[in-house]
């Protein structure tokens, strides 16, 4: 899905599994081994919110694949997140 769309399509993204959780602590998470993105059903009521969380966590995956820190929202992550947000016409603070 997302991995086939720009800018992720240029990164040779692996298959990602998705897991739905009931946690109210975070909207989503990324785990590198195996590649899993979790989405909290407690934090999402609309498809666009789910999409933004998937984009956000996919940015963490992209940093992991590029050998950069994926655990924080550092300089490279923020730059990539802004590129992703612009690609999909979202405010970069929304993802």
């Amino acid at each position: 899905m997302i991995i086939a769309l720009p800018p992720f399509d240029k990164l040779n993204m692996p298959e990602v599994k998705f897991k739905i959780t009931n946690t109210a602590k975070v909207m989503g998470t990324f785990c590198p081994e195996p590649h899993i993105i979790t989405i909290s059903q407690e934090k999402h009521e609309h498809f666009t919110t789910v999409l933004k969380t998937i984009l956000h966590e996919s940015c963490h995956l992209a940093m992991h694949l590029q050998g950069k820190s994926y655990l924080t929202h550092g300089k490279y992550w923020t730059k990539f997140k802004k590129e992703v947000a612009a690609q999909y016409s979202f405010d970069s603070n929304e993802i």
Side-chain angles (χ1 to χ4, degrees):
M1 171 171 131
I2 294 294
I3 63 174
L5 300 173
F8 302 105
D9 61 339
K10 297 179 181 95
L11 298 176
N12 196 23
M13 301 279 274
E15 180 178 321
V16 177
K17 295 185 189 267
F18 291 90
K19 181 179 175 185
I20 306 302
T21 67
N22 291 320
T23 184
K25 293 179 182 178
V26 295
M27 295 183 80
T29 63
F30 163 67
C31 178
E33 297 299 329
H35 299 105
I36 297 174
I37 290 176
T38 62
I39 303 291
S40 168
Q41 67 182 8
E42 292 291 322
K43 293 280 192 176
H44 296 85
E45 294 181 11
H46 303 283
F47 174 74
T48 55
T49 311
V50 172
L51 176 59
K52 290 172 188 175
T53 300
I54 291 171
L55 290 171
H56 177 102
E57 299 306 332
S58 294
C59 289
H60 286 289
L61 171 58
M63 292 300 101
H64 169 67
L65 295 175
Q66 295 176 49
K68 308 220 184 297
S69 175
Y70 65 90
L71 297 172
T72 63
H73 299 154
K75 176 174 67 171
Y76 295 108
W77 186 91
T78 301
K79 181 181 176 187
F80 189 75
K81 175 192 79 154
K82 288 180 179 182
E83 179 183 339
V84 170
Q87 177 75 39
Y88 297 99
S89 300
F90 290 132
D91 182 313
S92 67
N93 293 320
E94 293 182 308
I95 64 169

